[in-house]
Amino acid sequence: MQATPQSSGPAPENGPARHRRRSRGPILGFLASAAALAGLATMLSGGANAAENPYERGPAPTETSVTATRGAYAVSETRVSRFSASGFGGGTIYYPTSTEDGTFGAVAISPGYTARQSSIAWLGPRLASQGFVVFTIDTHTTSDQPASRGDQLLAALDYLTRNSSVRSRVDSTRLGVMGHSMGGGGALEAAKDRPSLKAAIPLTAWNLDKNWPEIQTPTLIVGADGDTVAPVRTHSEPFYESLPSALDRAYLELNNANHVTPNMSNTTIAKYSISWLKRFIDNDTRYERFLCPLPQPSWSIAEYRGNCPHTA
């Protein structure tokens, strides 16, 4: 509270001075009201955006941000021993270190036949730094088949949301699955068994079952033009074509790639995986521009199919 200036003498105010002091009142009142209205408008605008999508995390995306090896979030990690896991073989959880933005969506990722989580470990910090909790898992045995890997992906998500040390950081209503090879086949199995999942991304997936009309989860199928283990003609393409036509779905065929391309850091896989997970786990339409209109063939993309605009 400011002190009131005291007069040094009883001299009366003259007319002009009194007029100037009186005229400032309406002006200052007007400016204060305008500032208040501007602040209110800003507050309401921010509140409207937050109310429209409370799951939005991180800054507005750019081509640079979705292709960078790290996003806006610093990442921490914690190991889960296979002896403390239930229904899967343990793994590593990567998560944004900061808690300022509240909870995050999460994704579990399975390796392929004969492989361990180290084969898909690069996806952990790369996706987590974009604002996800990421669980790369080991399976019971390296020879587990796709159906088993699907069950283990779901068990890993249950562990992550109910028992893990970072469960308070995870929004259990916003979950997805990914996997490579038989792990990709497992991602399809998991999406079929748990329709509440928000996103699925099978990477050069292998599965004897070619038909997936039951899936209700937005699914991005990633194949490779040079894949001889799970050729796109007998795996990725039939998987995609069997998905319901009304589903938000996409087929990305990597150019000059092979079955094990997803085992190495890959900018194209990262860009479209981030965009798909953001769009459907976080409902973040800022990433729609990387998916629609459909990406065109390039040095890294042999073919891209899908429905645009997305309906979810």
Side-chain angles (χ1 to χ4, degrees), residues 244-265:
S245 60
L247 181 71
D248 284 316
R249 58 178 184 159
Y251 170 74
L252 166 62
E253 185 175 318
L254 301 171
N255 198 24
N256 298 314
N258 57 47
H259 188 68
V260 298
T261 294
N263 293 151
M264 298 164 281
S265 180

Side-chain angles (χ1 to χ4, degrees), residues 135-300:
F135 199 176
T136 58
I137 69 168
D138 277 318
T139 48
H140 292 308
T141 74
T142 59
S143 59
D144 289 342
Q145 298 298 296
S148 174
R149 290 171 191 267
D151 291 341
Q152 293 180 64
L153 282 168
L154 296 179
L157 289 176
D158 291 341
Y159 174 89
L160 185 64
T161 57
R162 300 171 187 173
N163 306 109
S164 75
S165 61
V166 299
R167 59 188 179 278
S168 63
R169 299 171 183 261
V170 181
D171 183 342
S172 62
T173 68
R174 298 188 290 122
L175 306 175
V177 288
M178 297 178 64
H180 170 241
S181 191
M182 282 194 182
L188 291 169
E189 300 276 0
K192 180 185 71 173
D193 292 343
R194 188 172 292 181
S196 62
L197 292 175
K198 301 300 184 185
I201 306 178
L203 304 169
T204 58
W206 189 98
N207 199 310
L208 291 176
D209 186 350
K210 311 302 179 185
N211 297 296
W212 302 93
E214 314 94 334
I215 289 182
Q216 301 175 35
T217 297
T219 301
L220 168 64
I221 304 284
V222 179
D225 63 346
D227 192 340
T228 57
V229 177
V232 293
R233 290 190 304 277
T234 55
H235 289 76
S236 293
E237 287 186 291
F239 298 159
Y240 169 76
E241 294 295 342
S242 71
L243 295 171
S245 60
L247 181 71
D248 284 316
R249 58 178 184 159
Y251 170 74
L252 166 62
E253 185 175 318
L254 301 171
N255 198 24
N256 298 314
N258 57 47
H259 188 68
V260 298
T261 294
N263 293 151
M264 298 164 281
S265 180
N266 183 282
T267 298
T268 303
I269 291 174
K271 174 183 178 178
Y272 292 102
S273 295
I274 291 166
S275 299
W276 196 263
L277 297 174
K278 283 287 190 180
R279 177 62 182 82
F280 294 106
I281 289 183
D282 287 357
N283 194 31
D284 194 337
T285 55
R286 298 179 299 173
Y287 288 80
E288 181 81 353
R289 69 187 184 94
F290 301 109
L291 305 170
C292 293
L294 298 179
Q296 296 300 301
S298 65
W299 65 271
S300 63

Side-chain angles (χ1 to χ4, degrees), residues 67-90:
T67 56
T69 56
R70 290 294 182 272
Y73 291 94
V75 174
S76 299
E77 62 181 84
T78 183
R79 291 278 303 188
V80 177
S81 165
R82 67 170 51 246
F83 300 108
S84 62
S86 177
F88 63 104

